[in-house]
């Protein structure tokens, strides 16, 4: 049966997280976790759900971009799309006029990710599998066919990508069984947002330790002495044997980043995330070289991201390139639905690409999962593989209704926004 897409709906859904400083960092001091939420409907009644993450203001712009892309999607069947997923990816990212708003970045790329996420969710549901399992069970040639290699063949060719996937077949079933038993290692960012008080930070870290967390990330970058105080406090709570990471969210220039992080070296951070502009490749290289003698790594950009990148299609390319160049991937998550989405990518990476957990972990943030039909399951600081069908980003209808902006009840009561 052909599942022809007959309708694409997009909604502006926002949560007032800024009221309690959830998500606050040196660059984003008052985020309201939000999403452009997409629902694709087929003529046989099957639905696909997708989203792209935003921070409040501007979500309406992404919604407009999704509506512009919807005209390219409605009328197609999901079978038609997945039979040439590379072509469909290019259809969205290379529309001759909308492309000017990107390309491969910014509002049009966020919109493309929301639509593509919904299509992947639809595909997994149609196949009766969780998304990670759909990917794991795919023939390597089919995985490669989903990737647009334009612009990356100097770093990774189709032949190289296929070879990586074929070589990783050995031990694949054992790794899948391991993930089902143990889950994928995670770290938490929930304890140390920049706007949290020392009392709240202490309480949250203590609670997290009792729940089995061993890896913690703290936001830095607004004030050096305050960062030193907070990092010292965190170290005192979690001890020297547990892992500490720091994240500046693009706050510094290159020289400033080197000076600032060097001053935090005594707290033994594993790495500094986003020390400078994410597009400054040479700047990151300079920072990495300068910090290497201190034993501090650099996490560039936000590694992979299930919404800022062009959905699974683009993330597959990044995972394969990272493996070729032996760079461990520690995905960005949190926000609204990012944890639900990105867990699937980490599972696929371990089972079918890297085959390694060395220096690898996936971010976790303990906010807003109660609004999803299939929320993440964390056990002893590990993501447990999802069992429900799809890409885990279907939101509860009641949550969408209450948090739609600006007409939802939550926002009618919040006149300050």
């Amino acid at each position: 049966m052909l599942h022809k897409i007959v309708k694409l709906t997009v909604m502006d859904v926002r949560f007032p997280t800024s009221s309690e400083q959830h998500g606050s960092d040196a660059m984003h001091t008052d985020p309201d976790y939000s999403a452009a939420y997409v629902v694709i409907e087929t003529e046989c009644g099957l639905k696909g759900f997708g989203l792209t993450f935003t921070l409040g203001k501007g979500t309406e712009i992404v919604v407009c971009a999704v509506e512009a892309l919807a005209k390219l999607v409605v009328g197609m069947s999901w079978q038609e799309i997945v039979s040439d997923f590379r072509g469909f990816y290019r259809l969205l990212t290379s529309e001759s006029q909308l492309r000017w708003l990107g390309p491969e970045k910014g509002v049009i790329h966020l919109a493309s990710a929301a639509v593509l996420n919904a299509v992947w969710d639809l595909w997994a549901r149609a196949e009766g599998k969780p998304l990670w399992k759909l990917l794991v069970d795919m023939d390597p040639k089919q995985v490669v066919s989903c990737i647009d290699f334009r612009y990356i063949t100097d770093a990774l060719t189709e032949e190289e990508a296929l070879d990586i996937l074929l070589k990783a077949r050995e031990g694949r079933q054992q790794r899948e069984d391991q993930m089902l038993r143990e889950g994928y290692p995670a770290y938490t960012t929930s304890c140390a947002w920049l706007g949290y008080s020392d009392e709240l930070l202490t309480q949250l870290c203590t609670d997290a330790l009792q729940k089995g967390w061993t890896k913690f990330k703290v936001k830095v970058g607004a004030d050096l002495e305050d960062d030193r105080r907070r990092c010292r406090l965190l170290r005192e709570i979690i001890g020297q044997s547990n892992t500490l990471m720091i994240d500046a969210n693009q706050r510094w220039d290159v020289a400033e980043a080197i000076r600032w992080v060097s001053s935090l070296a005594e707290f033994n951070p594993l790495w500094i995330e986003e020390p400078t502009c994410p597009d400054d490749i040479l700047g990151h290289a300079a920072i990495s070289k300068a910090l290497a003698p201190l034993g501090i790594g650099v996490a560039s950009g936000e590694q992979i991201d299930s919404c800022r990148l062009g959905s699974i299609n683009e993330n597959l390319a990044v995972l394969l390139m990272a493996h070729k160049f032996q760079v461990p991937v520690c995905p960005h998550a949190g926000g609204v639905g990012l944890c639900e989405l990105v867990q699937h990518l980490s599972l696929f990476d371990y089972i079918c690409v890297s085959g390694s957990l060395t220096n690898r972990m996936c971010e976790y943030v303990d906010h807003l999962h109660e609004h999803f039909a299939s929320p993440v399951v964390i056990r002893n600081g590990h993501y447990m593989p999802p069992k429900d069908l799809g890409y885990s980003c279907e939101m509860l209808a009641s949550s969408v209704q209450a948090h739609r902006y600006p007409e939802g009840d939550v926002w009618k009561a919040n006149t300050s926004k």
Side-chain angles (χ1 to χ4, degrees):
M1 178 186 297
L2 287 177
H3 295 279
K4 182 179 178 181
I5 296 171
V6 294
K7 187 177 182 181
L8 188 155
T9 305
V10 58
M11 290 157 277
D12 184 336
V13 182
R14 307 188 192 185
F15 299 85
T17 50
S18 63
S19 62
E20 296 183 54
Q21 289 288 287
H22 302 320
S24 55
D25 60 53
M27 290 292 277
H28 313 96
T29 55
D30 60 345
D32 284 325
Y33 279 179
S34 307
Y37 181 60
V38 172
V39 181
I40 289 177
E41 300 179 43
T42 67
E43 60 184 355
C44 65
L46 190 66
K47 294 182 179 181
F49 303 87
L51 58 81
T52 199
F53 173 59
T54 56
L55 290 185
K57 296 172 185 175
T59 308
E60 70 279 6
I61 302 172
V62 183
V63 166
C64 288
V66 171
E67 290 171 342
L69 292 173
K71 300 170 186 177
L72 303 174
V73 181
V74 174
M76 300 183 72
S77 69
W78 75 261
Q79 293 97 330
E80 181 184 0
I81 291 171
V82 302
S83 65
D84 181 19
F85 218 143
R86 182 182 302 168
F88 181 71
Y89 174 89
R90 284 195 179 184
L91 176 70
L92 295 187
T93 59
S94 296
E95 202 281 337
S96 64
Q97 295 183 9
L98 293 175
R99 177 177 169 78
W100 193 258
L101 303 181
E104 284 86 42
K105 67 184 72 141
V107 64
I108 199 65
H109 212 53
L110 290 172
S112 298
V115 174
L116 288 162
N117 285 341
V119 171
W120 278 99
D121 181 68
L122 181 67
W123 186 3
R125 289 170 184 268
E127 295 289 346
K129 298 178 181 181
L131 193 282
W132 69 267
K133 183 62 172 169
L134 173 72
L135 289 171
V136 166
D137 290 346
M138 271 189 196
D139 181 87
K141 289 184 178 179
Q142 189 175 21
V143 173
V144 172
S145 74
C146 296
I147 301 170
D148 185 0
F149 284 86
R150 182 170 52 181
Y151 307 140
I152 66 170
T153 53
D154 56 331
L156 182 76
T157 65
E158 289 191 49
E159 293 75 19
E160 288 175 317
L162 182 59
D163 184 59
I164 290 170
L165 294 169
L166 290 172
K167 287 180 177 177
R169 278 183 157 181
E170 183 177 353
R172 186 172 67 178
Q173 188 59 55
Q174 291 90 330
R175 292 191 293 274
E176 181 177 340
D177 293 341
Q178 178 191 359
M179 289 293 98
L180 290 168
R181 290 192 312 270
E182 303 172 7
Y184 193 90
Y187 73 86
T188 179
T189 307
S190 297
C191 302
W193 296 112
L194 199 63
Y196 281 3
S197 67
D198 289 358
E199 292 75 17
L200 182 57
L201 184 153
T202 300
Q203 175 193 328
L204 293 174
C205 285
T206 303
D207 291 345
L209 286 167
Q210 293 175 351
K211 293 177 182 177
W213 289 99
T214 61
K215 304 175 181 69
F216 299 79
K217 189 169 77 176
V218 57
K219 296 291 185 175
V220 299
D223 179 270
L224 178 55
E225 289 309 310
D226 191 53
D227 287 348
R228 287 178 55 80
R229 183 184 56 77
R230 295 172 72 250
C231 285
R232 183 178 294 109
L233 175 61
L234 198 68
R235 262 293 172 218
E236 290 172 353
I237 299 168
I238 70 173
Q240 295 299 320
S241 61
N242 287 323
T243 303
L244 173 67
M245 294 151 288
I246 56 178
D247 183 358
N249 291 92
Q250 311 167 22
R251 180 63 183 259
W252 307 311
D253 66 18
V254 173
E256 186 180 21
I258 294 169
R259 290 195 304 270
W260 202 300
V261 178
S262 296
S263 184
L264 300 176
E266 65 181 279
F267 307 109
N268 193 29
L270 177 64
W271 38 255
I272 171 65
E273 182 175 344
E274 289 198 311
T276 192
C277 172
D279 294 329
D280 187 356
I281 298 170
L282 296 180
H284 276 87
I287 295 168
S288 181
K289 183 178 180 180
L291 297 180
L294 300 175
I296 303 173
V298 173
S300 58
E302 292 199 299
Q303 295 279 11
I304 64 169
D305 185 295
S306 51
C307 294
R308 189 166 290 279
L309 274 68
S311 188
I312 289 171
N313 309 73
E314 196 165 65
N315 278 300
L316 290 173
V318 175
L319 291 173
L320 288 160
M321 285 190 287
H323 179 73
K324 176 183 174 180
F325 294 102
Q326 295 300 293
V327 177
V329 176
C330 299
H332 173 236
V336 178
L338 295 186
C339 295
E340 277 71 21
L341 289 163
V342 82
Q343 60 182 331
H344 294 268
L345 296 167
S346 287
L347 289 165
F348 172 76
D349 181 32
Y350 176 59
I351 296 169
C352 294
V353 182
S354 71
S356 173
L357 294 178
T358 302
N359 292 327
R360 288 166 170 83
M361 57 189 119
C362 185
E363 186 174 20
Y364 175 74
V365 172
D366 190 18
H367 302 300
L368 307 177
H369 303 293
E370 68 274 15
H371 298 289
F372 288 84
S374 302
V376 295
V377 176
I378 297 290
R379 191 168 69 204
N380 295 322
H382 287 69
Y383 279 94
M384 302 308 298
K387 297 179 180 179
D388 292 343
L389 308 187
Y391 201 5
S392 304
C393 53
E394 178 185 359
M395 297 182 73
L396 299 175
S398 57
S399 293
V400 173
Q401 185 66 28
H403 292 86
R404 286 191 70 169
Y405 185 85
E407 65 270 24
D409 289 343
V410 168
W411 294 107
K412 286 180 181 178
N414 196 333
T415 56
S416 64
K417 296 291 182 176

